[in-house]
Short mmCIF file of all heavy atoms in Angstrom, two decimals:
data_model
loop_
_atom_site.label_atom_id
_atom_site.label_comp_id
_atom_site.label_asym_id
_atom_site.label_seq_id
_atom_site.Cartn_x
_atom_site.Cartn_y
_atom_site.Cartn_z
N PHE A 11 124.26 95.44 160.05
CA PHE A 11 125.63 95.75 160.33
C PHE A 11 125.96 95.33 161.76
O PHE A 11 125.21 95.56 162.67
CB PHE A 11 125.92 97.25 160.25
CG PHE A 11 125.96 97.71 158.77
CD1 PHE A 11 125.02 98.56 158.30
CD2 PHE A 11 126.96 97.25 157.92
CE1 PHE A 11 125.04 98.99 156.96
CE2 PHE A 11 127.02 97.69 156.59
CZ PHE A 11 126.07 98.53 156.12
N LYS A 12 127.15 94.68 161.88
CA LYS A 12 127.53 94.28 163.19
C LYS A 12 128.28 95.39 163.85
O LYS A 12 128.96 96.21 163.15
CB LYS A 12 128.47 93.07 163.14
CG LYS A 12 127.81 91.84 162.75
CD LYS A 12 128.79 90.61 163.04
CE LYS A 12 128.18 89.26 162.55
NZ LYS A 12 128.52 88.99 161.16
N HIS A 13 128.08 95.61 165.09
CA HIS A 13 128.91 96.57 165.86
C HIS A 13 129.15 96.00 167.26
O HIS A 13 128.59 94.93 167.58
CB HIS A 13 128.27 97.95 165.89
CG HIS A 13 126.85 97.96 166.21
ND1 HIS A 13 126.37 97.87 167.45
CD2 HIS A 13 125.76 98.04 165.37
CE1 HIS A 13 125.05 97.89 167.47
NE2 HIS A 13 124.63 97.99 166.18
N THR A 18 122.58 95.75 163.97
CA THR A 18 121.49 96.58 163.60
C THR A 18 121.07 96.24 162.21
O THR A 18 121.88 96.25 161.29
CB THR A 18 121.92 98.04 163.65
OG1 THR A 18 122.61 98.34 164.86
CG2 THR A 18 120.74 99.01 163.49
N ILE A 20 119.45 97.14 158.84
CA ILE A 20 119.16 98.39 158.05
C ILE A 20 118.09 98.13 157.04
O ILE A 20 117.17 98.91 156.82
CB ILE A 20 120.45 98.92 157.42
CG1 ILE A 20 121.61 99.03 158.41
CG2 ILE A 20 120.20 100.17 156.66
CD1 ILE A 20 121.39 100.11 159.44
N GLY A 38 114.23 108.70 150.79
CA GLY A 38 114.23 108.43 152.24
C GLY A 38 115.17 109.35 152.92
O GLY A 38 116.09 109.85 152.34
N PRO A 39 114.86 109.64 154.20
CA PRO A 39 115.74 110.58 154.88
C PRO A 39 117.14 109.98 155.07
O PRO A 39 117.35 108.77 154.84
CB PRO A 39 115.10 110.65 156.29
CG PRO A 39 113.77 109.97 156.18
CD PRO A 39 113.76 109.13 155.00
N SER A 40 118.04 110.85 155.40
CA SER A 40 119.47 110.39 155.59
C SER A 40 119.57 109.30 156.58
O SER A 40 118.82 109.27 157.60
CB SER A 40 120.30 111.57 156.09
OG SER A 40 120.97 112.14 155.00
N GLY A 41 120.36 108.34 156.34
CA GLY A 41 120.63 107.30 157.30
C GLY A 41 119.69 106.16 157.30
O GLY A 41 119.72 105.29 158.19
N THR A 42 118.82 106.13 156.35
CA THR A 42 117.79 105.03 156.36
C THR A 42 118.34 103.81 155.63
O THR A 42 117.73 102.74 155.71
CB THR A 42 116.49 105.47 155.67
OG1 THR A 42 116.86 106.21 154.52
CG2 THR A 42 115.70 106.37 156.59
N GLY A 43 119.45 103.93 154.91
CA GLY A 43 120.00 102.71 154.29
C GLY A 43 119.93 102.75 152.74
O GLY A 43 120.10 101.70 152.14
N LYS A 44 119.78 103.90 152.23
CA LYS A 44 119.61 104.02 150.76
C LYS A 44 120.95 103.62 150.10
O LYS A 44 121.01 102.82 149.17
CB LYS A 44 119.30 105.47 150.36
CG LYS A 44 118.02 105.96 150.96
CD LYS A 44 117.67 107.39 150.47
CE LYS A 44 118.70 108.47 150.88
NZ LYS A 44 118.69 108.72 152.31
N SER A 45 122.03 104.24 150.61
CA SER A 45 123.39 103.90 150.03
C SER A 45 123.69 102.40 150.20
O SER A 45 124.23 101.74 149.34
CB SER A 45 124.50 104.69 150.69
OG SER A 45 124.27 106.07 150.47
N THR A 46 123.29 101.91 151.35
CA THR A 46 123.51 100.49 151.66
C THR A 46 122.81 99.64 150.60
O THR A 46 123.44 98.70 150.08
CB THR A 46 123.03 100.16 153.07
OG1 THR A 46 123.64 101.03 154.01
CG2 THR A 46 123.29 98.72 153.41
N PHE A 47 121.61 100.01 150.29
CA PHE A 47 120.81 99.27 149.31
C PHE A 47 121.54 99.29 147.92
O PHE A 47 121.69 98.30 147.31
CB PHE A 47 119.39 99.90 149.19
CG PHE A 47 118.56 99.22 148.22
CD1 PHE A 47 118.13 97.87 148.46
CD2 PHE A 47 118.10 99.86 147.03
CE1 PHE A 47 117.30 97.24 147.47
CE2 PHE A 47 117.27 99.22 146.16
CZ PHE A 47 116.89 97.91 146.33
N ASN A 49 124.70 99.86 147.31
CA ASN A 49 125.92 99.04 147.38
C ASN A 49 125.64 97.55 147.21
O ASN A 49 126.39 96.80 146.60
CB ASN A 49 126.67 99.29 148.76
CG ASN A 49 127.29 100.60 148.75
OD1 ASN A 49 127.50 101.26 147.73
ND2 ASN A 49 127.67 101.06 149.97
N LEU A 55 128.51 95.19 148.52
CA LEU A 55 128.19 94.87 149.90
C LEU A 55 127.33 93.62 149.90
O LEU A 55 126.21 93.64 149.33
CB LEU A 55 127.44 96.11 150.51
CG LEU A 55 127.36 96.18 152.02
CD1 LEU A 55 128.79 96.29 152.62
CD2 LEU A 55 126.53 97.39 152.42
N ASP A 166 123.84 107.79 143.49
CA ASP A 166 123.63 107.96 144.95
C ASP A 166 123.58 109.42 145.23
O ASP A 166 124.61 110.11 145.32
CB ASP A 166 124.75 107.24 145.64
CG ASP A 166 124.46 107.15 147.19
OD1 ASP A 166 123.46 107.76 147.62
OD2 ASP A 166 125.24 106.39 147.90
N GLU A 167 122.39 109.96 145.45
CA GLU A 167 122.22 111.37 145.69
C GLU A 167 123.00 112.24 144.75
O GLU A 167 123.83 113.07 145.16
CB GLU A 167 122.65 111.70 147.15
CG GLU A 167 122.03 110.75 148.10
CD GLU A 167 121.33 111.42 149.32
OE1 GLU A 167 120.93 112.56 149.19
OE2 GLU A 167 121.13 110.72 150.34
N VAL A 197 118.94 107.28 144.19
CA VAL A 197 118.38 107.51 145.54
C VAL A 197 118.62 109.02 145.83
O VAL A 197 119.45 109.67 145.39
CB VAL A 197 119.05 106.63 146.64
CG1 VAL A 197 118.87 105.17 146.28
CG2 VAL A 197 120.50 107.07 146.84
N LEU A 213 112.09 104.38 151.07
CA LEU A 213 112.72 103.45 152.05
C LEU A 213 112.34 103.87 153.48
O LEU A 213 112.67 104.91 153.95
CB LEU A 213 114.26 103.50 151.88
CG LEU A 213 115.02 102.52 152.70
CD1 LEU A 213 114.62 101.08 152.41
CD2 LEU A 213 116.52 102.64 152.53
N ARG B 810 139.13 98.36 156.30
CA ARG B 810 137.98 99.19 155.92
C ARG B 810 136.82 98.44 155.40
O ARG B 810 135.69 98.82 155.62
CB ARG B 810 138.47 100.21 154.82
CG ARG B 810 138.91 101.52 155.35
CD ARG B 810 138.74 102.58 154.24
NE ARG B 810 139.11 102.12 152.92
CZ ARG B 810 140.39 102.07 152.50
NH1 ARG B 810 141.31 102.48 153.24
NH2 ARG B 810 140.65 101.63 151.30
N ASP B 811 137.08 97.35 154.65
CA ASP B 811 136.01 96.66 153.95
C ASP B 811 134.97 96.04 154.95
O ASP B 811 135.36 95.56 155.96
CB ASP B 811 136.59 95.52 153.08
CG ASP B 811 137.15 96.10 151.84
OD1 ASP B 811 136.93 97.30 151.59
OD2 ASP B 811 137.88 95.41 151.10
N1 ADP C 901 129.87 99.81 156.88
C1 ADP C 901 129.00 100.09 157.75
N2 ADP C 901 129.15 99.58 159.00
C2 ADP C 901 128.25 99.84 159.97
N3 ADP C 901 127.21 100.62 159.79
C3 ADP C 901 126.97 101.16 158.59
C4 ADP C 901 127.85 100.94 157.50
N4 ADP C 901 127.44 101.61 156.42
C5 ADP C 901 126.32 102.25 156.85
N5 ADP C 901 126.08 101.95 158.10
C6 ADP C 901 124.88 102.43 158.87
O1 ADP C 901 123.75 102.05 158.14
C7 ADP C 901 122.80 103.11 158.17
C8 ADP C 901 122.44 103.41 156.78
O2 ADP C 901 123.48 104.05 156.16
P1 ADP C 901 123.40 104.56 154.62
O3 ADP C 901 122.98 103.43 153.79
O4 ADP C 901 124.68 105.27 154.32
O5 ADP C 901 122.22 105.60 154.71
P2 ADP C 901 121.71 106.69 153.65
O6 ADP C 901 122.53 106.46 152.44
O7 ADP C 901 120.34 106.38 153.53
O8 ADP C 901 121.96 107.99 154.31
C9 ADP C 901 123.43 104.22 158.90
O9 ADP C 901 122.88 104.28 160.22
C10 ADP C 901 124.92 103.90 158.98
O10 ADP C 901 125.44 104.32 160.15
#
Side-chain angles (χ1 to χ4, degrees):
Chain A
F11 285 115
K12 288 195 184 88
H13 46 79
T18 311
I20 305 294
S40 262
T42 44
K44 304 183 297 292
S45 297
T46 305
F47 181 64
N49 286 345
L55 197 63
D166 191 351
E167 313 232 19
V197 303
L213 184 60
Chain B
R810 264 205 321 278
D811 283 350

